[in-house]
Every structure is written in structure tokens, then in C-alpha cells.
């Protein structure tokens, strides 16, 4: 990169003295001289090439421009200055004025620049407009791909400024100088970060007088996704990229709950007051406790005197996975009738939370697609029907939430395939691998029986018995009841008790319904096997249990029978629950025996040598106790 130079003598071009050939030869010599000379400022000169648009979006002869700036305190006359580009001269015209005020910009354009509207709304009115006398800079315009060498030369032949372009950006982005009064070296130039550049105003990459910037914002430990309920630590790096120190700036951190990218008072979680010298940085470590599943937009902002507020706010998408099983695959149509809307998959939110399915995916053995790229909120106990084609709605009475997937859902094979649902973090929420042996009938869906038990078990699936062939978005025809407690088992310990020994009745109550149950009762009835009538009930008791049982869970308990006479008995146990929709599974029973009192029955007489044909041998027992003894099963 060339800088301002004093070539040791002044060279002035007099158009009356040189022919075209002589002029070109002369400028070749001048160009070579400039390249190999050390360049310095002349007389405190404060004019500099400040920006070059060489790869314009529009036509080169309209939209290329070269910007110069007077960064000094005095007005400068530009009369007689010209451009030397790759050894080719471009003389300048001054349509309005040839004086450039202090801290002002001049823009050099093609003479017919007014035929392009590209910069009409961009160039400030205060900008001094200059033109070249033909349609192109240099011979054929500035190069989009190769470096150009530009000199701004005064009327007296002094080099005022120079630059070599560095084409490495997209069309419409200029080369900009960083520090106005800095050297024309590569380190002091860069690509504009604004489309169309900054013609006539401060360069986008030049430091401001006062400018705090949030340059980094993220998770302190970014190797895994945080778990729901965890406390998350963030890091915030704030740098003073301005020219002056900043005191008493306020940093605010919080959740952008309303999605407006503005941190309001009620959204703020953390604040800090900062004072940072120019060029220095500080790092802060705010935390967010009890993070929730899904995507949360975190926002940090700096509130201070600032010349570039565009870098004062930083948003960060915090992604927290959902718990496995919060949403289940509840029904799917893998063998649809022709022209009935195609395949579809039904999901069910079995959690207690509203779930946002944005960025979730669904997959089979070979393909994965996004379910939706937009917010889709699924409240608890809500069904979601996924399909590739909304014509499904013409053939099916779809309830719940319908989502036409961003891309067509994977085609489900009729012989066997898999279905996998993943959340926004890629975590598997539910998955199964089915085959036609689970149930196959064209036009009839497979329905999950219990959404709270293993979805990968064929015993938990049956073909729909709904007359329509399926229940998309509504309760499955095969689904378990909402409220249903089942007497899972009843047993006694010991099964054969000694006289006077307490008997413990152990039971298990299973919740085979959809909903949790928070109270139930168990009724115990013991009946003698001698007659098995109501009059032979020897023990009866009912206990009430105040304990919740979630769907699919089993609660165990026991009850004691202190004493019972010897004999054989049957124990009946029944669970009683308000609203139970299926009573056939409410009871169970078991047998047990109790021995008689020791020595209550004695051998009192026996015949062991009977007369012939007198009825044979016999034994006589005698109850010497005060109790009636049942000798069943003795």
C-alpha cells in the first residue's frame, strides 16, 4: 500500500506542451517514480483518498466512485487536482465548487452519474460532488478482480494520497479506510460492512469517538445443551472500540420474552455499570436459573453515549432440550387408501407443559425433515397431526393442531420402517420401529393403546376400530381410559398361617388410565371356603389411601388381619376410585389357610383291628377346645 509522498521535485502537466504519446510516456515515468519513492505528507496536507467502490452493483460507468476526505481544520482548494489510476489520468471537474470544507467529504463520480439512482437516497447533501470527464475511471473502469493503484495528485504535481485496492469482497461493498489520518497501509484499510458503501459520510469500519460494542455473547460452557431446570452461565465481552474512554455505561441482560429485540424493564435480569478505556475490554458472567425447555432469546444491551448504537445490542438463542417422552407418537397411517390425503402421523403432548415444536424434526430409516420453522405451540393433552399435503383435511375430520411439514414427511414403508421425533436440540423425544405384523389394513391407521408405556412394543398398538379408519387429532379408538385403576395383585403372608399368627395382606394398584389419580380406597373381604356366602364373611375392612399414582405407575400397600380362626379362606380385594371408567379390572382374590389351635383336636379313639365286613378301620378325633374348628383341607 502506498502512502503520501514527496518525490523530491514538483511535476506539472501542461496540456499545451505534451502530445498524447508524450503524456502517456510521461505518466509511465511518473508512476514508476511514485512506486519506488518513499511517500510523506507535504505541508501538513490533510486530504486523503478515503473509500473506493470498484465493484459496483450497477453499471461501472455510473456507480463506481472514489471518495476523498479533508480531515483537517482548514478549507482546502482542489482546483487542478487529478487522478492517476494505473498510469492513466482522469481530470476532475467541479460542477458546484472546488473547495472542500474541514472534516468534509468529496465524491468523485462519472460525469453521467445522475443517470443512476443507486446513491440518490444515500449521499448526504453536504457532500461535494466532483466528476471525471469520461464514462470510466482509468481506461475501462476500475477492476473488480485485480488491484488498482490510485493516486490523487495536486495541481502542482504533489501526491496528496494513494491507495492500492484489494478486491476480495462481494459486489456493492467498497474498500474503506479505517483511520482518516492513518497510513495508507493494508492494515488501515478493509471492506465496508454496508452494501453500497458509505459515499459522503463516515466509513462503516472507522472507529467512532464513543463506541462500546458487545463483541461476544454465549454460553460459558458450550460443549453440551443445558438440562431443563439448570442454572446457565453466560459470558459477555464488551469492548471499547471508540477513540475515547466511556464512563458509567449501563449493561442490561435479560430475556426477550415478547420478541421485539428490545429489553424492557420487566425483562431485565441483570445490570452492571461499566467504565472502559479506549481499546480495553471487560468480560461479565451473568447467569439464568431454572432454564426452561425450548428456545429462549437472551438479550444484552449497552445504554450509554454512543456514536454507533448498532453494536450495542446482542441477541443469543438459548436452546434447551425437552425431556424424552414429553411428546409421543400416538397414531400413524402408513398404508393409506388412494387419494385419501396420503400418509400422516399423529403426536400427543403427554407432559404438563406447553411445547413449542419450532425446529423439531421427524425421520424414518433414511430421511429427516423439519416439522416446522415457525412457532407451533402445543398445550398439554393436545394432538398434533403431521402430513405433507393439506388435502388430508378434505378426507379426514382432523382435530387438534394440524401442521403441514416444511418438507414432505418421510415415506413410511408398508413392510417395516421407523419413526423418530427429535426436538430443536436434536434430542430423541420418541421413536419406534414398526412392521406390518403390528397390524396392516389399507386405509386403517395403527393406534397406540397407552401413550405412557413403551411405544416400541407391538402389544401397545392395534388397528383403529373407528368407522373412518382412524382418529387423526382426536382420542384413539383403542386408547386406554382417562381414569382406570386396576387391582394388579393381592397376596397373603404367610399363605399357610399358624393359629394366632397375624396375616399380612399385600396388594398392588396399577394406574392403567391416562390421568393421574390422587385418592383411592381398597376394600378387603375374607370369606370362609366352607360355604362362601355372605353369612360366612369372617373379616372385612376398607382403607383409604391419599397418594397420587401417575399413569402407568403401580402403588403397593398392605393391611394386617390380627387373628382369625383356623380354616381355609378366600381373600377378595377391590380398588375403589371415583370416576373409574373400567370396573372389570378392579378386583382380585387369593386363597390362604390358617391352622387350628395346638392340641385343640386330639386322637381320642381308633379301630385298627376291625371285624370282617364291619366297615373297616376308623379314627375318632375330639375337639377339646372352646372353639369351633373348620377341618377343611386337613
Amino acid at each position: 500500500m502506498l502512502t503520501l509522498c514527496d518525490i523530491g521535485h514538483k511535476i506539472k502537466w501542461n496540456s499545451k506542451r505534451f502530445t498524447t504519446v508524450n503524456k502517456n510516456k510521461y505518466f509511465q515515468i511518473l508512476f514508476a517514480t511514485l512506486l519506488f519513492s518513499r511517500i510523506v505528507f507535504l505541508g501538513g496536507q490533510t486530504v486523503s483518498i478515503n473509500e473506493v467502490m470498484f465493484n459496483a452493483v450497477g453499471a461501472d460507468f455510473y456507480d463506481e466512485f472514489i471518495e476523498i476526505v479533508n480531515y483537517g481544520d482548514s478549507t482546502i482548494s482542489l482546483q487542478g487536482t487529478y487522478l492517476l489510476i494505473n498510469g492513466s489520468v482522469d481530470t476532475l471537474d467541479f460542477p458546484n465548487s472546488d473547495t472542500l470544507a474541514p472534516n468534509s467529504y468529496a465524491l468523485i463520480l462519472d460525469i453521467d452519474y445522475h443517470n443512476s439512482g443507486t446513491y440518490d437516497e444515500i449521499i448526504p447533501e453536504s457532500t461535494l460532488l466532483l466528476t471525471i470527464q469520461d464514462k470510466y475511471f482509468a481506461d475501462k473502469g476500475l477492476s473488480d478482480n485485480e488491484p488498482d493503484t490510485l493516486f490523487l495528485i495536486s495541481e502542482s504535481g504533489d501526491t496528496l494520497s494513494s491507495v492500492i485496492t484489494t478486491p476480495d469482497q462481494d459486489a456493492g461493498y467498497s474498500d474503506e479506510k479505517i483511520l482518516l489520518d492513518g497510513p495508507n497501509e493494508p492494515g488501515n484499510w478493509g471492506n465496508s460492512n454496508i452494501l453500497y458503501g458509505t459515499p459522503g459520510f463516515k466509513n462503516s469500519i472507522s472507529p467512532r469517538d464513543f463506541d462500546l460494542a458487545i463483541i461476544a455473547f454465549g454460553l460459558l460452557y458450550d460443549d453440551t445443551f443445558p438440562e431443563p431446570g439448570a442454572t446457565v452461565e453466560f459470558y459477555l465481552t464488551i469492548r471499547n472500540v471508540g477513540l475515547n474512554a466511556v464512563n458509567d455505561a449501563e449493561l442490561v441482560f435479560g430475556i426477550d420474552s415478547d420478541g421485539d429485540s428490545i429489553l424492557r424493564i420487566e425483562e431485565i435480569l441483570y445490570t452492571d455499570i461499566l467504565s472502559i478505556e479506549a481499546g480495553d475490554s471487560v468480560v461479565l458472567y451473568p447467569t439464568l436459573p431454572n432454564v426452561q425447555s425450548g428456545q429462549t432469546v437472551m438479550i444484552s444491551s449497552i445504554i450509554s453515549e454512543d456514536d454507533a448504537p448498532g453494536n450495542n445490542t446482542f441477541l443469543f438463542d438459548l436452546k434447551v432440550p425437552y425431556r424424552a417422552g414429553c411428546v409421543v407418537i400416538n397414531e400413524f397411517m402408513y398404508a393409506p387408501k388412494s387419494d385419501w390425503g396420503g400418509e400422516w402421523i399423529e403426536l400427543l403432548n403427554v407432559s404438563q407443559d406447553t411445547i413449542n415444536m419450532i425446529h423439531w424434526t421427524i425421520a424414518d430409516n433414511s430421511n429427516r425433515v423439519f416439522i416446522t420453522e415457525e412457532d407451533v405451540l402445543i398445550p398439554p393433552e393436545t394432538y398434533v397431526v403431521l402430513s405433507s399435503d393439506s388435502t388430508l383435511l378434505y378426507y379426514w375430520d382432523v382435530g387438534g393442531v394440524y401442521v403441514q411439514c416444511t418438507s414432505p414427511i418421510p415415506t413410511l414403508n408398508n413392510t417395516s420402517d421407523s419413526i423418530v421425533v427429535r426436538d430443536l436440540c436434536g434430542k430423541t423425544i420418541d421413536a419406534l420401529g414398526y412392521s406390518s405384523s403390528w397390524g396392516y389394513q389399507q386405509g386403517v391407521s395403527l393406534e397406540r393403546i397407552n401413550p405412557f408405556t413403551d411405544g416400541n412394543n407391538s402389544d401397545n398398538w392395534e388397528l383403529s376400530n373407528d368407522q373412518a379408519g382412524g382418529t387423526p387429532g382426536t382420542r384413539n379408538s383403542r386408547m386406554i381410559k382417562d381414569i382406570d385403576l386396576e387391582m394388579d395383585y393381592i397376596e397373603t403372608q404367610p399363605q399357610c398361617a399358624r393359629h394366632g399368627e397375624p396375616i399380612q395382606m399385600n396388594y398392588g394398584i396399577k394406574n392403567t388410565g391416562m390421568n393421574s389419580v390422587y385418592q383411592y380406597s381398597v376394600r378387603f373381604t375374607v370369606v370362609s371356603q366352607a360355604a362362601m356366602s355372605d353369612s360366612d364373611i369372617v373379616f372385612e375392612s376398607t382403607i383409604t389411601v391419599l397418594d397420587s399414582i401417575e399413569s402407568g405407575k403401580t402403588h403397593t400397600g398392605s393391611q394386617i388381619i390380627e387373628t382369625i380362626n383356623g380354616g381355609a379362606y378366600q381373600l377378595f380385594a377391590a380398588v375403589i376410585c371415583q370416576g373409574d371408567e373400567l370396573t372389570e379390572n378392579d378386583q382380585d382374590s387369593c386363597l390362604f389357610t390358617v391352622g387350628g389351635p395346638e392340641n385343640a383336636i386330639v386322637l381320642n379313639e381308633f379301630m385298627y383291628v376291625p371285624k370282617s365286613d364291619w366297615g373297616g378301620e376308623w379314627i375318632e378325633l375330639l375337639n377339646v377346645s372352646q372353639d369351633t374348628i373348620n377341618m377343611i383341607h386337613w
Side-chain angles (χ1 to χ4, degrees):
M1 184 74 67
L2 297 179
T3 54
L4 298 181
C5 70
D6 179 356
I7 61 174
H9 57 278
K10 297 180 180 180
I11 302 175
K12 185 174 181 181
W13 171 32
N14 188 329
S15 61
K16 295 180 181 180
R17 295 179 55 191
F18 295 104
T19 64
T20 301
V21 175
N22 288 336
K23 285 186 287 186
N24 288 339
K25 183 175 181 180
Y26 175 81
F27 281 110
Q28 289 175 2
I29 297 172
L30 173 61
F31 179 67
T33 303
L34 290 170
L35 283 177
F36 292 101
S37 300
R38 177 167 179 80
I39 301 173
V40 297
F41 286 101
L42 289 179
Q45 184 59 264
T46 59
V47 174
S48 174
I49 298 174
N50 194 53
E51 183 177 7
V52 182
M53 175 65 77
F54 51 81
N55 187 6
V57 173
D60 287 351
F61 48 85
Y62 290 148
D63 288 349
E64 289 183 344
F65 67 77
I66 298 171
E67 178 192 80
I68 61 176
V69 63
N70 176 8
Y71 56 86
D73 297 327
S74 303
T75 298
I76 293 175
S77 173
L78 298 175
Q79 184 63 44
T81 56
Y82 58 90
L83 291 171
L84 181 63
I85 304 174
N86 299 332
S88 178
V89 172
D90 280 315
T91 56
L92 304 182
D93 288 337
F94 305 92
N96 302 310
S97 172
D98 64 359
T99 58
L100 185 57
N103 300 307
S104 297
Y105 300 90
L107 204 62
I108 305 172
L109 299 158
D110 168 70
I111 193 171
D112 292 326
Y113 70 89
H114 55 272
N115 291 328
S116 169
T118 302
Y119 304 115
D120 287 353
E121 302 299 323
I122 300 176
I123 301 174
E125 293 183 1
S126 60
T127 304
L128 177 63
L129 298 181
L130 313 179
T131 62
I132 56 175
Q133 295 181 349
D134 54 22
K135 291 184 178 295
Y136 293 100
F137 287 106
D139 291 332
K140 297 180 180 179
L142 301 175
S143 174
D144 297 345
N145 305 307
E146 299 293 333
D148 290 312
T149 303
L150 289 72
F151 293 93
L152 179 66
I153 299 179
S154 70
E155 184 178 23
S156 61
D158 296 328
T159 297
L160 303 178
S161 182
S162 64
V163 66
I164 298 176
T165 61
T166 55
D168 60 353
Q169 61 265 65
D170 294 333
Y173 291 87
S174 61
D175 269 4
E176 291 184 344
K177 196 173 184 181
I178 299 173
L179 296 174
L180 296 183
D181 57 353
N184 281 323
E185 296 175 354
N188 196 35
W189 281 81
N191 297 335
S192 172
N193 52 35
I194 298 177
L195 183 63
Y196 303 121
T198 54
F201 55 97
K202 189 162 188 172
N203 289 349
S204 63
I205 62 175
S206 293
R208 273 50 179 171
D209 290 335
F210 295 93
D211 186 10
L212 286 187
I214 301 175
I215 62 171
F217 180 20
L219 295 177
L220 184 58
Y221 304 104
D222 201 21
D223 52 342
T224 59
F225 292 108
E227 288 298 315
T231 296
V232 176
E233 295 180 83
F234 297 88
Y235 67 89
L236 270 169
T237 304
I238 301 96
R239 180 176 296 166
N240 187 348
V241 296
L243 300 175
N244 300 313
V246 175
N247 297 311
D248 299 327
E250 183 179 12
L251 184 283
V252 290
F253 165 87
I255 298 176
D256 186 21
S257 55
D258 56 8
D260 62 357
S261 299
I262 300 173
L263 198 55
R264 305 183 186 280
I265 294 177
E266 61 273 16
E267 298 173 326
I268 296 175
L269 301 175
Y270 170 89
T271 63
D272 206 338
I273 302 300
L274 308 174
S275 294
I276 309 176
E277 295 294 325
D280 286 351
S281 300
V282 296
V283 182
L284 305 176
Y285 302 96
T287 61
L288 176 64
N290 192 27
V291 295
Q292 302 300 304
S293 297
Q295 179 171 299
T296 302
V297 179
M298 308 304 300
I299 184 169
S300 294
S301 290
I302 298 170
I303 303 171
S304 71
E305 177 186 2
D306 204 299
D307 297 327
N311 56 16
N312 286 16
T313 299
F314 205 128
L315 276 67
F316 177 78
D317 289 336
L318 174 64
K319 295 181 179 180
V320 178
Y322 287 86
R323 299 189 188 279
C326 63
V327 170
V328 299
I329 302 162
N330 197 54
E331 185 179 2
F332 58 96
M333 174 65 76
Y334 72 98
K337 291 180 180 178
S338 179
D339 300 327
W340 266 66
E343 297 177 346
W344 48 267
I345 298 170
E346 177 194 84
L347 309 178
L348 174 62
N349 180 3
V350 295
S351 75
Q352 300 302 309
D353 302 314
T354 295
I355 289 173
N356 190 344
M357 297 192 71
I358 186 171
H359 303 319
W360 283 40
T361 62
I362 190 147
D364 68 352
N365 278 335
S366 54
N367 296 302
R368 183 194 301 190
V369 300
F370 282 103
I371 294 174
T372 176
E373 299 286 1
E374 300 177 350
D375 290 329
V376 175
L377 301 180
I378 312 299
E381 301 180 17
T382 299
Y383 299 90
V384 187
V385 178
L386 313 177
S387 81
S388 305
D389 190 346
S390 61
T391 59
L392 172 83
L393 303 175
Y394 293 107
Y395 301 99
W396 294 92
D397 185 14
V398 177
V401 177
Y402 170 72
V403 177
Q404 182 175 347
C405 291
T406 301
S407 300
I409 62 174
T411 300
L412 301 176
N413 298 326
N414 287 354
T415 53
S416 64
D417 210 336
S418 66
I419 304 175
V420 183
V421 177
R422 296 181 176 91
D423 69 4
L424 74 168
C425 299
K427 179 179 180 179
T428 298
I429 301 301
D430 196 22
L432 59 86
Y434 71 89
S435 72
S436 57
S437 64
W438 288 25
Y440 175 84
Q441 184 178 341
Q442 189 173 23
V444 179
S445 68
L446 270 176
E447 292 184 346
R448 191 166 181 162
I449 299 170
N450 188 342
F452 296 98
T453 57
D454 186 9
N456 206 32
N457 185 348
S458 61
D459 292 337
N460 199 23
W461 293 86
E462 285 190 71
L463 287 170
S464 174
N465 63 8
D466 189 271
Q467 62 180 1
T471 56
T474 58
R475 184 186 180 91
N476 289 352
S477 62
R478 300 289 191 176
M479 184 174 285
I480 60 174
K481 306 300 183 181
D482 285 334
I483 300 177
D484 181 22
L485 289 189
E486 173 185 85
M487 178 60 68
D488 193 37
Y489 68 87
I490 184 72
E491 64 180 15
T492 62
Q493 286 184 341
Q495 277 190 311
C496 186
R498 292 179 297 176
H499 177 74
E501 182 180 11
I503 298 169
Q504 181 172 295
M505 301 175 291
N506 300 320
Y507 65 86
I509 308 296
K510 185 175 182 179
N511 186 351
T512 54
M514 284 273 290
N515 300 333
S516 294
V517 173
Y518 301 96
Q519 177 179 326
Y520 62 91
S521 298
V522 182
R523 184 177 64 243
F524 304 96
T525 304
V526 178
V527 179
S528 170
Q529 283 194 291
M532 296 292 291
S533 66
D534 289 344
S535 61
D536 288 288
I537 294 176
V538 297
F539 177 85
E540 192 168 32
S541 174
T542 299
I543 61 172
T544 298
V545 180
L546 300 175
D547 197 0
S548 63
I549 311 179
E550 297 179 0
S551 179
K553 303 296 184 181
T554 298
H555 184 267
T556 60
S558 63
Q559 177 77 340
I560 298 293
I561 303 175
E562 293 293 346
T563 59
I564 192 169
N565 290 336
Y569 301 94
Q570 186 161 12
L571 168 63
F572 294 91
V575 60
I576 304 166
C577 173
Q578 185 175 6
D580 197 318
E581 299 175 64
L582 186 66
T583 59
E584 289 86 347
N585 58 4
D586 288 353
Q587 297 188 46
D588 197 6
S589 66
C590 69
L591 298 173
F592 71 96
T593 58
V594 179
E598 188 174 357
N599 299 321
I601 301 294
V602 296
L603 294 170
N604 193 56
E605 185 180 0
F606 57 94
M607 173 64 75
Y608 72 98
V609 187
K611 289 182 179 181
S612 178
D613 299 326
W614 272 56
E617 298 176 344
W618 49 266
I619 299 173
E620 177 190 87
L621 305 177
L622 174 63
N623 180 1
V624 296
S625 73
Q626 300 301 310
D627 300 316
T628 299
I629 304 296
N630 187 345
M631 294 185 66
I632 189 171
H633 300 319
W634 282 41

